[in-house]
């Protein structure tokens, strides 16, 4: 680990977690992206499609493909947003709510196992470090134009 760069550790760890999530999702014929979308959609009121991309950290084209696949599988429906006729609200179907519960359980199980294996103090430091890395990236302090 000593010679590995920070980005390598972040990327390889996320890839391992993503693989694990995709394996779990495949049990139900789904994907990690679909699971995250399901969790990001408000089960009661729906969610504007324009709010989903930023919420999930996905580009519009990737999100569009994911939503299309979800609609084809009967997980979601789309309707006009009554507050803004130009936007679309994404609603979960009953099947979508069922799959959302499954996805939430997968995420909570991972969370609980990690919390049981790693001390609260170390997790706190991990979250502090990852938040600081995000701050550096989003504030454009890594590569500044002079």
């Amino acid at each position: 680990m000593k010679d590995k760069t920070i980005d390598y550790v972040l990327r390889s760890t996320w890839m391992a977690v993503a693989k694990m999530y995709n394996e779990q999702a495949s049990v139900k014929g789904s994907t990690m992206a679909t699971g995250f979308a399901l969790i990001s959609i408000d089960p009661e009121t729906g969610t504007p499609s324009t709010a989903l991309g930023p919420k999930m950290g996905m580009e519009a084209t990737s999100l569009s493909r994911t939503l299309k696949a979800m609609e084809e599988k009967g997980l979601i429906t789309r309707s006009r947003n009554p507050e803004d006729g130009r936007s679309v609200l994404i609603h979960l179907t009953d099947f979508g709510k069922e799959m959302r519960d499954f996805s939430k359980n997968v995420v909570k199980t991972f969370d609980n196992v990690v919390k049981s294996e790693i001390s609260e103090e170390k997790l706190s430091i991990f979250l502090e470090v990852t938040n600081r890395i995000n701050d550096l990236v989003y504030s454009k302090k890594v590569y500044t134009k002079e």
Side-chain angles (χ1 to χ4, degrees):
M1 283 297 257
K2 183 179 156 211
D3 296 335
K4 295 193 178 3
T5 61
I6 293 165
D7 80 302
Y8 174 85
V9 174
L10 289 170
R11 186 176 58 252
S12 63
T13 302
W14 175 245
M15 288 173 68
V17 171
K19 182 178 184 221
M20 174 193 68
Y21 279 154
N22 273 314
E23 287 170 357
Q24 291 303 305
S26 72
V27 169
K28 296 275 192 172
S30 191
T31 66
M32 180 188 72
T34 296
F36 279 151
L38 289 167
I39 292 169
S40 300
I41 297 168
D42 186 297
E44 304 303 320
T45 61
T47 300
S49 59
T50 53
L52 274 179
K55 197 172 185 180
M56 295 174 58
M58 281 180 90
E59 295 295 324
T61 52
S62 297
L63 180 61
S64 181
R65 281 192 302 269
T66 300
L67 292 176
K68 184 177 183 206
M70 291 172 69
E71 194 169 27
E72 289 170 357
K73 289 182 178 183
L75 296 166
I76 61 167
T77 59
R78 301 177 202 225
S79 65
R80 271 216 167 110
N81 187 340
E83 295 175 18
D84 177 4
R86 297 169 296 164
S87 78
V88 173
L89 278 178
I90 308 297
H91 295 276
L92 297 174
T93 62
D94 288 340
F95 179 49
K97 289 177 183 177
E98 179 184 318
M99 290 298 288
R100 181 181 194 273
D101 289 342
F102 171 78
S103 298
K104 280 182 76 170
N105 188 48
V106 167
V107 171
K108 284 181 180 178
T109 298
F110 173 67
D111 226 43
N112 289 335
V113 169
V114 170
K115 286 176 180 177
S116 73
E117 296 289 324
I118 299 173
S119 73
E120 198 173 312
E121 180 186 1
K122 286 183 178 180
L123 279 174
S124 177
I125 292 168
F126 168 76
L127 294 173
E128 182 182 328
V129 169
T130 55
N131 284 332
R132 184 67 183 120
I133 290 170
N134 275 324
D135 290 345
L136 289 169
V137 171
Y138 288 118
S139 67
K140 307 223 185 275
K141 289 185 179 176
V142 177
Y143 302 105
T144 57
K145 293 181 182 180
E146 294 188 28

